[in-house]
Amino acid sequence: MRKVTFKEYFSILFGGLWQGILWVLGLFGYKDENPFGKVVKRIFASCVTVLMLLFTGCVLFAFAKQVVYNEFIRPHTNNRVWEEKYISNHIVFQEMYYSDKNRVFDKNEQKVLLEDVDWVVVSDDKDSLAVYARNGKRGYINRFTGKVAIPEIYTRAWIFSEGLAAVEKDGELLFIDHSGKVVIDKDFQVYFHDPKYAFKNGYCMIKNPVDGKMGLIDRAGNWVLNAEYDYLFNNEGFWQVEKDGYVGLYTSKMDLMFPVENSAIFVDDSIIEVRYTNHTAKRYDYNGNVVVDFVIDEVYNMQYETTELRNDMEPSDSEFVDNKIYGIANCQQYMVRGGTYNNSDYYGLLNRDGKTVTPPIYTSIKAIGKDLYLCQPDGVIVNDKGKIVH
């Protein structure tokens, strides 16, 4: 079989192309004998040839750049690191330039320990094992040596906390120890929306996979709070829960401290402040003893408009300030904050001795006389003894 030379190949190629052009142009009535037709055919053939050469060049350039260079040349000539995240003193997670896959690297030994790693996350409590992802699976590495401690066999995995880690395998939520042994297998399932699993003071929050309601399990996997709460979190060692808009508090030993019947609870600086649904508030110490029996957030003096007018004003001042005379009411207005962004503030009356005249049951109070006050939302008028007079 005779070999075809390079010149013969292109002669046949362009000959075939020329015959194709003649056939197409023949459909429009051009004849070889017509000089004008011959010129048009040659111009057309030249343009098509140039376009084909350009197209072929673009294809070859794209192939060389995306396949040949990226796959065969760049990995051997470009080994730069884009960003490093320390896993321990000398073990780092490196994100590489021009690569979707990254690596775990030993800076002391200048040695790659684990290739093609997507990400690595270290526990908040600096556990010895860090979770990593590779090839769509999750596993754990020893962050001090960089060696794989538990291979990537899990669909999803979370950081170790208090010696245990949550993993998902075959659709089940399990908890394992540092050896990879399953220590909690209670038919739990992962809640699809923003799942987070970590032990805190001996307990871990679990969500109902159907409705997302929250509960707590202990280290044996037993329920200590059933998954029935809308919100649940650890607050300075206490467990705060919310259900149907009401808030309660459990101690670190899961003893009920305040039932789920309050509008808000704040824990800070050795003080627990409870906002009740009757708009009052009290402060307690961490043992549940009352520290402040009646919390008031702010106190205001109130002015009322008298029937007298000022006569010492310049004419120009009256454009900006009225000439009415105001008096100071007998009672002060105090405010108790609602506690949360969707709860309104409420107001009550104090006498000059600091004693409460009315509870904080009004949305606003306005002095309309020395001893009379218009209180909303009902629009009642109260005197300085707290009695409704109209």
Side-chain angles (χ1 to χ4, degrees), residues 80-351:
R80 290 185 297 163
V81 175
W82 175 58
E83 188 176 343
E84 289 184 340
K85 182 176 72 174
Y86 277 81
I87 302 173
S88 61
N89 285 342
H90 60 92
I91 306 297
V92 295
F93 172 66
Q94 294 181 334
E95 296 186 57
M96 309 300 295
Y97 278 104
Y98 309 115
S99 175
D100 295 330
K101 298 294 184 180
N102 308 300
R103 67 189 189 185
V104 177
F105 189 77
D106 187 332
K107 301 205 77 172
N108 283 355
E109 300 292 333
Q110 291 294 301
K111 179 181 178 182
V112 177
L113 302 176
L114 196 61
E115 297 268 16
D116 297 336
V117 180
D118 296 318
W119 48 259
V120 176
V121 177
V122 178
S123 301
D124 294 335
D125 59 1
K126 304 304 180 185
D127 192 276
S128 61
L129 297 189
V131 61
Y132 74 95
R134 184 166 70 165
N135 299 324
K137 294 290 186 178
R138 312 286 188 265
Y140 295 87
I141 61 172
N142 187 308
R143 66 187 186 89
F144 299 108
T145 65
K147 295 181 179 179
V148 174
I150 303 174
E152 63 267 22
I153 59 175
Y154 304 110
T155 307
R156 284 189 280 187
W158 289 263
I159 59 172
F160 269 90
S161 56
E162 299 183 359
L164 297 178
V167 296
E168 184 184 30
K169 187 176 182 183
D170 299 328
E172 262 194 288
L173 176 64
L174 311 169
F175 288 84
I176 61 173
D177 61 16
H178 282 85
S179 68
K181 178 183 176 182
V182 176
V183 295
I184 298 178
D185 183 0
K186 297 281 187 174
D187 295 326
F188 297 134
Q189 290 182 322
V190 174
Y191 181 59
F192 71 95
H193 179 64
D194 191 27
K196 296 177 182 178
Y197 302 102
F199 275 89
K200 180 76 173 180
N201 297 337
Y203 303 105
C204 178
M205 183 183 69
I206 299 289
K207 291 185 178 182
N208 186 312
V210 177
D211 56 17
K213 298 287 187 179
M214 304 177 184
L216 286 179
I217 62 169
D218 60 18
R219 292 177 60 85
N222 300 318
W223 289 103
V224 293
L225 285 180
N226 290 328
E228 60 185 39
Y229 298 100
D230 302 317
Y231 193 50
L232 185 158
F233 66 100
N234 190 274
N235 193 352
E236 300 292 337
F238 296 90
W239 288 98
Q240 188 162 322
V241 296
E242 181 177 331
K243 185 178 181 180
D244 299 329
Y246 298 102
V247 181
L249 196 70
Y250 286 85
T251 68
S252 60
K253 297 181 179 180
M254 300 314 301
D255 296 322
L256 181 62
M257 193 169 192
F258 298 103
V260 189
E261 60 183 24
N262 309 287
S263 62
I265 294 178
F266 304 98
V267 183
D268 189 33
D269 294 334
S270 301
I271 294 295
I272 301 172
E273 186 171 287
V274 180
R275 304 269 168 165
Y276 298 101
T277 53
N278 64 357
H279 317 305
T280 61
K282 292 184 180 181
R283 289 178 182 158
Y284 301 82
D285 62 21
Y286 277 11
N287 295 318
N289 302 312
V290 176
V291 177
V292 179
D293 185 60
F294 193 83
V295 174
I296 293 175
D297 293 304
E298 294 184 25
V299 177
Y300 314 89
N301 280 321
M302 288 187 290
Q303 293 182 326
Y304 64 94
E305 185 180 312
T306 69
T307 57
E308 301 179 42
L309 300 175
R310 295 176 58 183
N311 55 14
D312 58 346
M313 296 177 59
E314 296 291 336
S316 59
D317 294 337
S318 61
E319 296 180 11
F320 307 101
V321 182
D322 63 44
N323 61 347
K324 297 174 183 178
I325 295 178
Y326 294 86
I328 302 298
N330 288 341
C331 288
Q332 295 176 300
Q333 176 183 220
Y334 71 89
M335 181 189 73
V336 179
R337 292 191 178 92
T340 58
Y341 68 92
N342 57 351
N343 288 334
S344 302
D345 300 332
Y346 282 84
Y347 302 87
L349 293 173
L350 285 176
N351 63 23

Side-chain angles (χ1 to χ4, degrees), residues 63-76 98:
F63 177 78
K65 180 179 179 182
Q66 299 298 326
V67 178
V68 177
Y69 182 63
N70 281 346
E71 298 296 329
F72 301 103
I73 300 177
R74 177 177 282 165
H76 302 286
Y98 309 115

